[in-house]
Amino acid sequence: MSAGRQPLPFHLFDRDAEVLIVHRSLPHWGQAGAIAFVTWRTVDSMPKKVLDEWRGDRQRWLKAHGVDDRKPDWRQLLDQLDPDIRKEFLDTQWNRWHDALDACHGACVLRRPKLAEVVGKSLRHFDGDRYLLLDYVVMPNHLHLLASFPNESAMLSQCESWKHYTARQINRGLGETSHFWQSDAFDHLVRSEKQFEFLRRYIAANPERAKLPPGDTLHYSRPLPQATCPP
């Protein structure tokens, strides 16, 4: 962050404010200043059989509860379900996806401290200028981050910049020229203080949850005053 510059503002997702929805292989929601939880993974992080089974099971679960995941507003429809049903989705689908990532499929080159720090330095480089970085963890084959962006389209453009730069630097370190990151990413606008606190804890505890030894991951968390919560 530039010397003397105040951190960018951040807040929870505002249902009444403008939202940009961009459709790629996944729908991506952007809102100025809203905190986003973002996950990227390496191209070899999820075996096709595991991915196909998860997608099929998720689609069947959502369809059984009246939600079509091909529609751009499917997350809103999910949010409108009974809290106990939403918790079931979290327990059976969200956790299963992240368990598969934490199984450390693939080459897992990001367990090398120098390569993990390539990602960490890139994430921190424009913190406070182009975005506000709150938390991240670099795992052996994926990463999670919490950040807010100044306008609706900034999240996707910044993530593409991060991925392009880090892939080039990591491939240079490996002596490779292959595609490094999976082309799309998962992102979610944080909707409540409870969810924000859960995701911060999840990021911090992810290495332990995956049973990884010290040195295999890289974690960062911005200190926030105890009385400061995103409005």
Side-chain angles (χ1 to χ4, degrees):
M1 183 170 64
S2 301
R5 182 165 179 173
Q6 293 297 313
L8 297 171
F10 65 100
H11 59 81
L12 300 172
F13 173 63
D14 183 349
R15 298 177 186 274
D16 298 322
E18 183 177 354
V19 176
L20 175 70
I21 303 176
V22 177
H23 294 276
R24 295 184 178 175
S25 60
L26 295 171
H28 301 274
W29 288 40
Q31 184 179 80
I35 303 168
F37 175 69
V38 185
T39 299
W40 320 325
R41 59 187 181 91
T42 58
V43 293
D44 60 355
S45 61
M46 193 76 73
K48 185 177 185 301
K49 180 181 178 181
V50 173
L51 185 59
D52 288 347
E53 288 178 354
W54 177 82
R55 283 174 171 163
D57 289 347
R58 187 190 71 163
Q59 189 173 61
R60 284 188 287 274
W61 188 98
L62 289 170
K63 184 177 180 180
H65 293 85
V67 178
D68 184 348
D69 66 352
R70 296 169 298 179
K71 294 183 177 180
D73 63 346
W74 75 266
R75 291 182 188 172
Q76 284 181 303
L77 296 175
L78 180 63
D79 284 346
Q80 292 169 11
L81 296 177
D82 183 87
D84 289 339
I85 297 177
R86 294 201 307 270
K87 184 177 184 302
E88 179 186 335
F89 178 81
L90 177 67
D91 291 342
T92 60
Q93 304 299 322
W94 196 89
N95 287 340
R96 181 178 167 188
W97 169 266
H98 288 85
D99 286 345
L101 285 178
D102 290 343
C104 291
H105 297 290
C108 292
V109 299
L110 294 176
R111 69 171 74 242
R112 304 184 193 180
K114 287 185 178 180
L115 298 183
E117 185 57 23
V118 167
V119 180
K121 284 183 177 178
S122 178
L123 295 176
R124 298 190 302 269
H125 187 69
F126 288 110
D127 180 24
D129 293 319
R130 296 184 181 177
Y131 47 84
L132 183 68
L133 184 64
L134 297 169
D135 298 83
Y136 70 74
V137 62
V138 182
M139 301 289 285
N141 63 0
H142 67 282
L143 69 89
H144 303 297
L145 67 91
L146 282 166
S148 68
F149 301 87
N151 57 63
E152 290 84 355
S153 62
M155 179 183 68
L156 280 182
S157 61
Q158 183 59 55
C159 286
E160 289 171 355
S161 176
W162 279 327
K163 290 168 72 177
H164 177 76
Y165 174 79
T166 57
R168 187 173 69 244
Q169 296 301 314
I170 290 168
N171 273 330
R172 181 178 298 170
L174 295 171
E176 301 282 350
T177 57
S178 58
H179 190 52
F180 185 76
W181 296 112
Q182 183 69 21
S183 59
D184 222 334
F186 169 84
D187 51 78
H188 174 79
L189 296 181
V190 180
R191 286 158 165 74
S192 69
E193 182 182 339
K194 182 178 179 180
Q195 188 178 67
F196 175 65
E197 292 172 350
F198 166 80
L199 290 169
R200 293 199 97 189
R201 291 194 303 270
Y202 181 88
I203 287 173
N206 199 184
E208 181 180 359
R209 185 173 184 268
K211 298 181 174 60
L212 295 172
D216 274 17
T217 62
L218 182 65
H219 175 240
Y220 165 87
S221 184
R222 177 185 293 274
L224 296 177
Q226 286 188 339
T228 299
C229 295

